[in-house]
Amino acid sequence: MAKIVAEHLKYKYPLSEKLALYDISFTIEPGEFIGIIGENNAGKSTLCQAMVGIVPNFYKGAYGGKVLIGDMEIAKSNISDICKKVGIVFQNPFNQVTGCKLTVYEEVAFGLENMGLPRSEMIDRIDYSLKLLDIYKYKDRNPFDLSGGQMQRMAIASIIAMRPEVIILDEPTSQLDPQGSEEVFRAVQNLSREGITIIMVEHKMEKIAEYSDRVMLLHEGKLIAFETPEKIFSRDDLDCYGVTAPAYTRICKSLGIKNKKTGFYPVTLEETKSLIGFSEKERCPYDQN
Ligand SMILES: Nc1ncnc2c1ncn2[C@@H]1O[C@H](COP(=O)(O)OP(=O)(O)O)[C@@H](O)[C@H]1O
Ligand SMILES: [Mg+2]
């Protein structure tokens, strides 16, 4: 499994006056779940695109530094080699559907057809991906008859079938209703358990805090911090970056409840409950007979 390394990555879109990414360096270990946060125009999408080669191979512009996945230098590699290692999922599932396949099964098969795989391996991969994303039951449906959450999971299944080591998701739930969002979050958690490296841009901070091993905070194209969720959300300067900590963290901050061992505020419900010392019984006294 491959590390992802960015070294002094800089990028400016064509015709743009200012850099969209300023001198960004980091290392992501194989199997990590990374959340990317930051206000609009922070550079989140540009960074995602630089990790799959859309920047600078599709969007030209001025590019400096490098991104490596394992020993593959992204800016110097061709798309078909990159696709074997890393897949990207965008906001709107409608934009990712080919529009020319009549069933979910054929849609997921589409990316594999160009890889020259034996038929039996294609079938294994499609079945595995559909089951992992919990959409096997819809395999004979027309993609356009799916709900938003189901369609986004189909887009993710199409990528999983290519067996990438890394999946990048750029606000994959922003166009979905709460149920669809929940379906996608559960699916992404399953991928993470399979050992796939996950990089997810997301505005729902409770989810980022719950799932991420580390969180990358971007602002105006700069990498401000890349730390554990507890460390990121305990910062006093989040307002300056247009980020709001999870509700649990904000409540504990206002009450002065910190984890004494780490010195940081809790970021999840479970951690908050354990620090406040609530037991399940105490949580809802009216339910007890
Ligand atoms: N296609 C483009 N052409 C020119 N500038 C762009 C383009 N896409 C994004 N930008 C600029 O690059 C910066 C980073 O944008 P983006 O990566 O989309 O941020 P985010 O995803 O955090 O909202 C912004 O200043 C934005 O205006
Ligand atoms: Mg974006």
Side-chain angles (χ1 to χ4, degrees), residues 80-197:
S80 69
D81 289 337
I82 295 172
C83 286
K84 287 179 195 144
K85 289 218 178 238
V86 47
I88 187 162
V89 178
F90 299 100
Q91 287 183 339
N92 189 342
F94 282 91
N95 295 343
Q96 294 171 80
V97 177
T98 59
C100 63
K101 298 294 176 188
L102 291 179
T103 67
V104 168
Y105 200 90
E106 288 172 28
E107 179 71 30
V108 175
F110 180 76
L112 299 180
E113 282 163 1
N114 299 325
M115 288 174 79
L117 298 172
R119 192 179 147 75
S120 62
E121 175 155 8
M122 277 182 52
I123 293 170
D124 284 351
R125 287 189 183 203
I126 298 165
D127 288 354
Y128 169 81
S129 314
L130 292 174
K131 284 175 187 161
L132 188 63
L133 276 300
D134 198 21
I135 48 171
Y136 188 77
K137 50 187 170 289
Y138 309 125
K139 69 182 166 60
D140 298 320
R141 278 217 195 150
N142 187 306
F144 290 102
D145 290 337
L146 299 177
S147 69
Q150 292 161 354
M151 200 183 269
Q152 193 61 295
R153 284 185 288 148
M154 180 185 70
I156 299 172
S158 307
I159 288 167
I160 287 297
M162 319 270 277
R163 299 257 164 97
E165 295 176 25
V166 181
I167 289 209
I168 299 171
L169 302 113
D170 188 1
E171 300 193 41
T173 70
S174 64
Q175 313 260 329
L176 304 181
D177 60 19
Q179 191 195 334
S181 299
E182 206 43 58
E183 290 169 10
V184 169
F185 282 120
R186 266 202 304 274
V188 172
Q189 224 181 354
N190 278 345
L191 305 183
S192 179
R193 289 193 190 116
E194 294 285 298
I196 296 168
T197 307

Side-chain angles (χ1 to χ4, degrees), residues 1-283:
M1 296 287 272
K3 272 188 193 188
I4 305 169
V5 178
E7 287 176 4
H8 303 292
L9 176 64
K10 297 180 201 72
Y11 177 69
K12 191 163 76 63
Y13 283 96
L15 309 178
S16 175
E17 302 264 294
K18 61 181 179 76
L19 289 171
L21 299 174
Y22 285 88
D23 201 17
I24 296 208
S25 298
F26 58 78
T27 300
I28 296 172
E29 298 296 333
E32 274 197 292
F33 194 126
I34 303 297
I36 302 184
I37 62 171
E39 65 184 352
N40 281 346
N41 294 331
K44 305 181 297 296
S45 295
T46 308
L47 179 59
C48 291
Q49 287 166 5
M51 285 190 273
V52 290
I54 299 173
V55 163
N57 294 325
F58 179 75
Y59 289 114
K60 300 295 180 190
Y63 182 94
K66 57 183 163 185
V67 178
L68 296 153
I69 299 191
D71 51 11
M72 176 189 277
E73 188 173 344
I74 292 298
K76 294 184 178 161
S77 304
N78 66 48
I79 288 285
S80 69
D81 289 337
I82 295 172
C83 286
K84 287 179 195 144
K85 289 218 178 238
V86 47
I88 187 162
V89 178
F90 299 100
Q91 287 183 339
N92 189 342
F94 282 91
N95 295 343
Q96 294 171 80
V97 177
T98 59
C100 63
K101 298 294 176 188
L102 291 179
T103 67
V104 168
Y105 200 90
E106 288 172 28
E107 179 71 30
V108 175
F110 180 76
L112 299 180
E113 282 163 1
N114 299 325
M115 288 174 79
L117 298 172
R119 192 179 147 75
S120 62
E121 175 155 8
M122 277 182 52
I123 293 170
D124 284 351
R125 287 189 183 203
I126 298 165
D127 288 354
Y128 169 81
S129 314
L130 292 174
K131 284 175 187 161
L132 188 63
L133 276 300
D134 198 21
I135 48 171
Y136 188 77
K137 50 187 170 289
Y138 309 125
K139 69 182 166 60
D140 298 320
R141 278 217 195 150
N142 187 306
F144 290 102
D145 290 337
L146 299 177
S147 69
Q150 292 161 354
M151 200 183 269
Q152 193 61 295
R153 284 185 288 148
M154 180 185 70
I156 299 172
S158 307
I159 288 167
I160 287 297
M162 319 270 277
R163 299 257 164 97
E165 295 176 25
V166 181
I167 289 209
I168 299 171
L169 302 113
D170 188 1
E171 300 193 41
T173 70
S174 64
Q175 313 260 329
L176 304 181
D177 60 19
Q179 191 195 334
S181 299
E182 206 43 58
E183 290 169 10
V184 169
F185 282 120
R186 266 202 304 274
V188 172
Q189 224 181 354
N190 278 345
L191 305 183
S192 179
R193 289 193 190 116
E194 294 285 298
I196 296 168
T197 307
I198 307 282
I199 299 170
M200 188 175 199
V201 177
E202 183 54 62
H203 287 292
K204 298 181 181 83
M205 294 302 155
E206 278 74 12
K207 296 292 184 191
I208 284 286
E210 187 181 341
Y211 295 148
S212 304
D213 296 309
R214 287 189 296 155
V215 177
M216 201 179 276
L217 170 60
L218 295 182
H219 186 66
E220 293 181 349
K222 299 191 185 92
L223 179 59
I224 304 297
F226 188 22
E227 300 286 355
T228 61
E230 290 77 11
K231 206 164 177 183
I232 291 281
F233 292 123
S234 291
R235 290 175 71 108
D236 288 327
D237 58 356
L238 288 178
D239 280 356
C240 308
Y241 305 118
V243 168
T244 308
Y248 311 117
T249 314
R250 284 181 283 133
I251 292 167
C252 288
K253 229 177 190 179
S254 69
L255 296 172
I257 299 169
K258 256 187 196 176
N259 182 332
K260 290 204 180 74
K261 274 192 215 135
T262 62
F264 299 118
Y265 295 105
V267 297
T268 62
L269 175 61
E270 286 310 313
E271 207 186 345
T272 306
K273 268 167 40 183
S274 75
L275 283 182
I276 295 180
F278 270 111
S279 70
E280 282 302 317
K281 271 189 182 167
E282 286 164 318
R283 200 160 61 92

